Amino acid sequence: MIIVYAPAGGEREEYDARTLRVSEAAIVSRTTDMTWGAVRDGIARDDLEAMRAVVWVLKKRAQPSLRYAEFDPGVEEMFARFDRDEITSWVESAVAAVEAAPTATPEDLASALSGMPAAALDREHAETLIRRAVEEYAEGKDAAAGQQGSPDASPSTTSAGPEPSTSDCSPTSSTSPLETSTA
């Protein structure tokens, strides 16, 4: 998750919460009185206190004397966005979920992913990835439908077990007795 800090009248800054060291995550947890898991989940939900603490700790790398009380951004100045890897993972997970549903359509996949571009740090990357995923899913559905309706797709017959050979040739492996190898 990337936390975007866009102060009014200032320059936009981006902070990757995954770059925190364990000691820094511990400081964030103590400061917010939240577990690291709760902080991480809070960032995904745009929890202001979780984002504030992470940005503060990351800012302290360049400004070691910065106190928590001194970093008090406006409520509209911070928000979280997914990075490229996270978007890729979300798209792959959505495709897998939709593929598991036999009646799912490409439109279902597009609908499931419709909110992702707005949550992405790189919106264009997200839109391109989603468009490709929907196109590839549609092509796969079309190919599968074509195979089901093709004249070559006749049902095959299967037997319940090996049948005796009707040929004068040597027995096949399915009717030959198994020999134990000593090699």
Side-chain angles (χ1 to χ4, degrees), residues 25 27 38 42 47 64 66 71 75-77 90 112 117 149 161 163 166 181-182:
I27 293 168
D47 180 284
L66 180 64
F71 179 66
V75 295
E76 298 292 321
E77 294 179 340
W90 275 93
E163 294 182 19
T166 56
S181 171
T182 58

Side-chain angles (χ1 to χ4, degrees), residues 66-140:
L66 180 64
R67 301 181 79 58
Y68 190 62
E70 294 170 353
F71 179 66
D72 192 14
V75 295
E76 298 292 321
E77 294 179 340
M78 284 189 308
F79 51 92
R81 292 292 180 257
F82 292 106
D83 66 21
R84 287 172 156 242
D85 292 339
E86 291 166 322
I87 291 294
T88 300
S89 179
W90 275 93
V91 170
E92 289 170 353
S93 295
V95 168
V98 169
E99 284 177 339
T103 60
T105 66
E107 292 77 20
D108 294 331
L109 178 58
S111 176
L113 294 169
S114 64
M116 288 308 300
L121 184 63
D122 184 345
R123 186 181 186 110
E124 185 177 318
H125 169 260
E127 289 170 345
T128 300
L129 203 60
I130 292 167
R131 185 174 50 255
R132 279 191 205 139
V134 171
E135 288 170 359
E136 289 172 8
Y137 181 71
E139 289 169 6

Side-chain angles (χ1 to χ4, degrees), residues 142-163:
D142 290 345
Q147 286 178 351
Q148 287 178 350
S150 82
D152 294 338
S154 60
S156 63
T157 57
T158 58
S159 61
E163 294 182 19

Side-chain angles (χ1 to χ4, degrees), residues 5 13 15 51-57 59 66-73 78:
Y5 171 48
E13 302 169 15
Y15 296 91
M51 292 187 300
R52 174 187 180 199
V54 169
V55 171
W56 167 67
V57 167
K59 284 175 98 43
L66 180 64
R67 301 181 79 58
Y68 190 62
E70 294 170 353
F71 179 66
D72 192 14
M78 284 189 308

